[in-house]
Amino acid sequence: MFISQDLRKNNIAEYLLYMWQVENIIRAFDCSLTRIRKEYIAQFDYTDEQKEELTDWYGHLIRMMNQEGCREQGHLQINKVTMQTLVELHTQLLASTKFPFYNAEYYRVLPYIVELRNRGANKDENEIETCFNSLYGVMMLRLQKKEISTNTEHAIKEITTFLGMLSDYYKKDKEEGLKFE
């Protein structure tokens, strides 16, 4: 919760990846708030008040996962909305002539995105979703200490730069408002 609040303000891409990880943490504990409190939250060096806040936050997320039918897989509606917001911003940035650096970066990483999408299960997902799914997949492979090919490492590095640029534009739009035309 504390991390997510900071990430939501400062880096929306990292926030979304973090929230996907939180969804999987909840699933790893069988959507049991009791287990999350005892086996996960208890290990953190937080005050009792902070632990209670964190427990309430996880409890709220568990209720949402149950209500939205994503106990086993999928993403919370709040995360889907965040993704959709980023997709819409991406579309606006590409359509505008005022963001040539973003356009250039997008077309530079597009071959990697196409290749990764073709390797994935869902060939109909949009480019931004492909980027996030690729980053998350590599993050999971690293946590499992599995080998990542040099080509994939290079693609992920490029995609990370691209999503970082999208995140920066998202933040600027929230703080100042972007002028697209």
Side-chain angles (χ1 to χ4, degrees):
M1 177 184 94
F2 307 112
I3 294 169
S4 73
Q5 290 170 339
D6 182 56
L7 288 175
R8 185 152 183 86
K9 280 188 274 185
N10 296 309
N11 190 319
I12 197 68
E14 287 183 16
Y15 165 79
L16 193 54
L17 292 168
Y18 176 79
M19 289 304 295
W20 287 4
Q21 188 176 18
V22 166
E23 291 170 340
N24 283 332
I25 288 168
I26 290 169
R27 290 182 187 114
F29 289 100
D30 300 317
C31 296
S32 166
L33 186 58
T34 303
R35 284 192 60 207
I36 290 171
R37 184 186 305 120
K38 287 180 182 174
E39 299 172 37
Y40 186 68
I41 296 172
Q43 71 180 324
F44 295 111
D45 188 26
Y46 290 144
T47 66
D48 289 342
E49 184 180 305
Q50 288 173 317
K51 286 181 181 180
E52 275 308 306
E53 279 184 72
L54 200 53
T55 299
D56 289 346
W57 185 67
Y58 273 99
H60 182 66
L61 292 174
I62 290 168
R63 279 188 298 282
M64 288 168 53
M65 288 175 78
N66 287 327
Q67 290 167 351
E68 296 174 20
C70 57
R71 283 179 63 101
E72 308 280 323
Q73 64 182 10
H75 298 295
L76 287 165
Q77 192 61 37
I78 56 172
N79 296 331
K80 289 178 184 177
V81 167
T82 300
M83 176 66 76
Q84 187 57 39
T85 301
L86 289 172
V87 169
E88 289 168 6
L89 177 60
H90 166 71
T91 302
Q92 289 176 301
L93 289 166
L94 286 180
S96 175
T97 58
K98 292 190 172 192
F99 304 96
F101 294 112
Y102 184 83
N103 267 276
E105 186 64 24
Y106 167 70
Y107 285 108
R108 202 169 70 69
V109 301
L110 186 57
Y112 301 116
I113 296 169
V114 170
E115 183 180 339
L116 289 166
R117 186 184 322 156
N118 287 337
R119 282 196 229 161
N122 187 356
K123 305 217 185 313
D124 294 328
E125 70 187 7
N126 69 59
E127 290 100 350
I128 302 302
E129 287 177 290
T130 298
C131 290
F132 275 96
N133 285 327
S134 299
L135 287 180
Y136 194 76
V138 167
M139 188 173 81
M140 291 296 102
L141 290 173
R142 286 182 178 140
L143 286 172
Q144 297 167 22
K145 300 194 183 333
K146 292 190 176 172
E147 190 172 325
I148 299 155
S149 74
T150 306
N151 289 344
T152 300
E153 284 280 2
H154 181 71
I156 291 303
K157 183 178 179 217
E158 298 299 328
I159 287 170
T160 300
T161 301
F162 171 64
L163 286 182
M165 188 178 277
L166 180 60
S167 286
D168 290 345
Y169 279 120
Y170 175 88
K171 184 177 180 183
K172 185 172 182 156
D173 190 38
K174 290 294 174 203
E175 292 172 352
E176 304 167 22
L178 292 174
K179 308 231 183 325
F180 293 99
E181 287 300 333

